[in-house]
Amino acid sequence: MKKDIIKKIGITFLVNFLLSFMLFIFGPSEIFFANSAEFNFIYSNFAGYMSVFAVAAAFILTLILAFLPDKLHRVLLSVIFGISIAGYIQVMFLNKNLDLLGLNPEGYKITPAQSIINLVIWIVIILAVIILALWKKDIWKKLIQYLSVFLLCIQMIALISLIVTADENAYHYPEGRWQLSSEDQYVVSADKNVIVLILDWFSNQYLEPLQTAYPGSTDFLHDFTYYSNMDCTYYGTYPSIAHMLTGNEVNTSLKVSDWCTQIWEDDKTVRFYNELHDNNYVANLYTPYANILCGANSTQILEGRLSNVIYTTDKIDIFYKLLFKTMFKMSAYRMFPEVVKPCFYTNMEEYLGIVSIKGNDMRHLNYDFYSDLLEKGLHTDKKSNYFIVQHLMGPHELTTDEFGAHKENATREETTKGCMVIVEEYLNQLKELGVYDDAAIIITSDHGGRNDPQVIFYIKKPGETHEVTPITDVQVSFNEFLPTIAELAGLDYTQYGQSIHDFDEDTERERTVWIRELDSDYPTIPCYTGDKDGNSNVYYGYTYTGNFEDLLRKLEEAPDMIEEMADSFF
């Protein structure tokens, strides 16, 4: 009798540990090693703690289940075992192009039909185990025992392989690091300013719903001219911002890191930033994602171009509660059925907040930036002119309410209204400092969506005033961004190309927008980090003349050009 009880407890613990191992040890580990280049923390920050939690959870669950009546015990244990089996099948065979890193502003989306089919698979697996437990107890006992051992063994072997083959950076922080400093994030020049506010993923198609939901929400931009026909050229924060700040088009024959090295050493790029510095400008970019400019290279490659590049040995702080919560959510999101994945979808902002560096709190999330803007306020530097590029989350994540505060699951209209509140406060503070009138200011986005890639583009030249915002549908693109910045800074911009002011509404142009895609007709390529496959392998080029409606029609057709990538950023 005692032997039977011990065996029952042992089998119960084995089944429970399989589930907790998958959720708290193997899942987080596999996610970490597959994306370690994207995270600022290391494996030891969470692995040991989550392993202890996995064992404790299995032990507590065993104590609860082992002494229940036999039939109830078998049913509940069958449910746990069925979840483990279905979860393993989900991870290995049913997840397709799963967005683990929160790149989709809409969160997790799937068709109802796919969700139902997936749920049916889960239900069938769990019911089959329960039926076997009730009808064929001996077979059921052997099945859950041997299959649990088998799944644990193959996943442990895989885990050991991941640990042994991982890059050294997965285990050790560097003694020091190059990074973009946030020290002057709320500093502007007392003299000349060229300021660019980038609201990530703000399509120009978001404006009409915003103005319908919140009439008058953009009236404060009356001194700006609105370009309603701005082509972002590239879909994606990478390579768009790198293209904007260097004027270099993507060379798909080069790997991401090689292209990033090339563009920052390019003669045109060097000349542009040298001329800015010679004209007493500092050039500060504020984004937590230096990799969009550097690839896998050190941020040091930006030194001499951007003024806020620093080397620091400051201590790293880990928000452990958020780290454990985020790794569990990502693991559950990966393992659980489609119908519940939205509950575990992890936004970028969640893992962005796990690590901080003392004295360098880069504000990128809309509401964090706004909170500090209200608390600290802008202040001026009398020594230098300023070229400022402030990259904010914008509507890339719908987590901002209409007042600029944090709100989970906000609507797009609420988030875009909140962005406008933040922009208005920024402009008001420029006015209070007496630097608004002479400032050149651009409010734009790095890209729109896959099916609405044009972006908002408001621009105010120094001394420009209007009663109402002028609107133009002149055909322009981010190929004109760098020359336009040079023009606004008082440089000889013609050496960099044409500015947006060189075109009028009668000018017909051919423009090409490039959309990254995963095309099964082309070979899979690695991610630039080298630790996983890329989520794209080609750029589709769509060439059009006209406005957004003409672009939409082109996007419904086959691309005019397809360029294979050497490797993929995403």
Side-chain angles (χ1 to χ4, degrees):
M1 186 70 175
K2 185 177 180 180
K3 185 178 179 181
D4 291 340
I5 293 174
I6 293 173
K7 187 175 181 179
K8 180 180 180 182
I9 292 173
I11 293 174
T12 304
F13 179 81
L14 179 65
V15 172
N16 289 332
F17 183 66
L18 172 63
L19 180 59
S20 63
F21 176 83
M22 293 171 68
L23 265 178
F24 298 110
I25 300 177
F26 184 70
S29 297
E30 192 169 41
I31 291 167
F32 172 79
F33 288 118
N35 301 280
S36 59
E38 308 291 340
F39 298 131
N40 293 326
F41 48 89
I42 60 177
Y43 190 54
S44 61
N45 289 148
F46 70 91
Y49 297 104
M50 296 192 80
S51 296
V52 171
F53 185 84
V55 174
F59 180 73
I60 292 170
L61 197 55
T62 298
L63 290 180
I64 295 171
L65 296 183
F67 300 102
L68 292 174
D70 183 61
K71 184 175 288 188
L72 180 59
H73 166 265
R74 277 183 281 147
V75 170
L76 293 178
L77 201 60
S78 295
V79 171
I80 293 171
F81 181 73
I83 290 172
S84 298
I85 297 299
Y88 182 80
I89 292 172
Q90 181 76 41
V91 170
M92 294 299 294
F93 307 108
L94 302 181
N95 288 337
K96 293 184 178 179
N97 301 321
L98 198 63
D99 169 22
L100 276 172
L101 298 179
L103 298 177
N104 181 9
E106 300 285 343
Y108 184 73
K109 298 293 181 183
I110 193 170
T111 65
Q114 289 174 293
S115 182
I116 291 170
I117 292 170
N118 184 257
L119 183 60
V120 168
I121 293 172
W122 272 73
I123 292 172
V124 168
I125 292 171
I126 294 171
L127 282 179
V129 180
I130 293 173
I131 291 170
L132 187 63
L134 296 176
W135 285 4
K136 299 288 184 180
K137 180 179 176 180
D138 291 340
I139 296 176
W140 167 82
K141 189 180 293 184
K142 290 180 181 179
L143 174 74
I144 65 171
Q145 187 175 349
Y146 295 138
L147 198 50
S148 292
V149 170
F150 174 73
L151 290 178
L152 276 170
C153 285
I154 61 173
Q155 290 180 94
M156 284 180 178
I157 291 170
L159 178 58
I160 292 170
S161 175
L162 289 171
I163 292 172
V164 170
T165 59
D167 188 89
E168 183 182 351
N169 293 331
Y171 303 108
H172 303 288
Y173 288 114
E175 291 184 6
R177 67 202 64 81
W178 289 89
Q179 64 184 44
L180 295 172
S181 170
S182 66
E183 182 179 358
D184 294 331
Q185 191 165 8
Y186 297 95
V187 178
V188 296
S189 173
D191 190 10
K192 296 179 181 178
N193 289 286
V194 179
I195 300 171
V196 181
L197 301 179
I198 298 177
L199 305 172
D200 207 307
W201 205 307
F202 205 133
S203 165
N204 60 13
Q205 298 306 294
Y206 296 172
L207 271 189
E208 185 176 343
L210 166 64
Q211 292 163 343
T212 300
Y214 299 98
S217 56
T218 58
D219 288 353
F220 70 95
L221 295 169
H222 53 82
D223 291 332
F224 291 72
T225 299
Y226 180 61
Y227 282 73
S228 63
N229 195 5
M230 173 58 77
D231 189 317
C232 67
T233 308
Y234 295 100
Y235 164 61
T237 301
Y238 173 90
S240 183
I241 291 183
H243 170 239
M244 293 166 71
L245 296 183
T246 67
N248 282 261
E249 296 184 8
V250 172
N251 183 344
T252 55
S253 69
L254 295 178
K255 292 186 175 181
V256 167
S257 297
D258 293 335
W259 180 71
C260 289
T261 299
Q262 182 190 72
I263 63 174
W264 291 103
E265 294 177 350
D266 178 75
D267 288 344
K268 179 172 65 175
T269 305
V270 172
R271 184 167 65 251
F272 171 76
Y273 286 97
N274 283 346
E275 286 196 8
L276 275 181
H277 299 319
D278 290 344
N279 283 270
N280 198 34
Y281 276 91
V282 297
N284 291 338
L285 167 66
Y286 300 105
T287 179
Y289 305 115
N291 57 334
I292 63 176
L293 305 175
C294 306
N297 300 304
S298 166
T299 308
Q300 187 179 9
I301 70 169
L302 307 177
E303 192 182 23
R305 316 293 179 262
L306 300 179
S307 306
N308 62 325
V309 177
I310 62 169
Y311 181 81
T312 180
T313 57
D314 289 343
K315 180 183 176 183
I316 289 176
D317 285 335
I318 306 293
F319 185 7
Y320 284 99
K321 182 178 178 181
L322 180 59
L323 171 58
F324 300 150
K325 174 186 174 184
T326 301
M327 295 310 292
F328 167 71
K329 282 183 65 179
M330 295 174 83
S331 179
Y333 169 72
R334 169 180 171 272
M335 177 178 170
F336 286 159
E338 312 286 2
V339 70
V340 299
K341 283 189 190 298
C343 302
F344 298 102
Y345 185 79
T346 308
N347 288 319
M348 284 193 299
E349 68 174 58
E350 293 187 58
Y351 62 83
L352 190 62
I354 292 170
V355 176
S356 64
I357 300 173
K358 286 187 179 297
N360 194 45
D361 296 326
M362 185 75 73
R363 295 309 192 190
H364 173 69
L365 303 176
N366 303 324
Y367 44 85
D368 282 346
F369 178 81
Y370 186 46
S371 176
D372 271 15
L373 180 63
L374 292 174
E375 181 181 341
K376 298 177 180 178
L378 296 178
H379 49 284
T380 57
D381 174 5
K382 296 180 180 180
K383 298 178 182 178
S384 302
N385 302 322
Y386 272 62
F387 170 45
I388 300 168
V389 180
Q390 176 61 63
H391 177 212
L392 295 177
M393 184 65 79
H396 192 295
E397 287 186 0
L398 306 181
T399 54
T400 306
D401 71 12
E402 68 269 34
F403 306 109
H406 181 249
K407 179 183 178 181
E408 288 293 335
N409 301 315
T411 65
R412 179 180 286 126
E413 288 72 28
E414 287 174 330
T415 296
T416 51
K417 176 62 168 68
C419 289
M420 288 301 165
V421 167
I422 296 166
V423 171
E424 184 173 13
E425 176 62 28
Y426 192 95
L427 299 184
N428 285 340
Q429 292 197 21
L430 292 176
K431 292 174 183 177
E432 291 171 8
L433 293 171
V435 300
Y436 170 82
D437 291 339
D438 291 334
I441 307 170
I442 293 173
I443 299 152
T444 187
S445 181
D446 48 345
H447 63 94
R450 164 64 179 79
N451 298 311
D452 52 355
Q454 285 198 346
V455 295
I456 62 166
F457 193 87
Y458 289 90
I459 183 170
K460 183 189 85 68
K461 294 184 288 186
E464 184 176 1
T465 60
H466 309 283
E467 291 296 322
V468 179
T469 304
I471 300 175
T472 176
D473 67 351
V474 63
Q475 299 172 29
V476 288
S477 76
F478 279 166
N479 285 325
E480 291 82 61
F481 185 85
L482 193 75
T484 301
I485 296 298
E487 178 190 30
L488 295 173
L491 311 180
D492 175 14
Y493 74 89
T494 56
Q495 60 187 312
Y496 304 109
Q498 293 176 289
S499 113
I500 61 169
H501 301 115
D502 290 336
F503 302 92
D504 57 42
E505 293 184 348
D506 296 327
T507 306
E508 287 288 325
R509 302 180 62 195
E510 276 195 345
R511 292 172 292 170
T512 300
V513 61
W514 295 92
I515 309 290
R516 68 176 186 269
E517 295 284 358
L518 184 63
D519 191 323
S520 59
D521 290 337
Y522 293 84
T524 301
I525 57 175
C527 181
Y528 81 102
T529 56
D531 52 8
K532 58 183 175 180
D533 288 339
N535 289 332
S536 55
N537 57 358
V538 296
Y539 280 110
Y540 284 178
Y542 298 90
T543 300
Y544 68 106
T545 302
N547 57 24
F548 180 78
E549 286 75 18
D550 298 297
L551 174 57
L552 273 187
R553 284 191 286 272
K554 287 293 295 188
L555 291 173
E556 293 173 355
E557 301 172 1
D560 298 293
M561 295 167 282
I562 300 178
E563 291 196 5
E564 292 186 66
M565 301 175 178
D567 62 3
S568 172
F569 185 86
F570 296 98

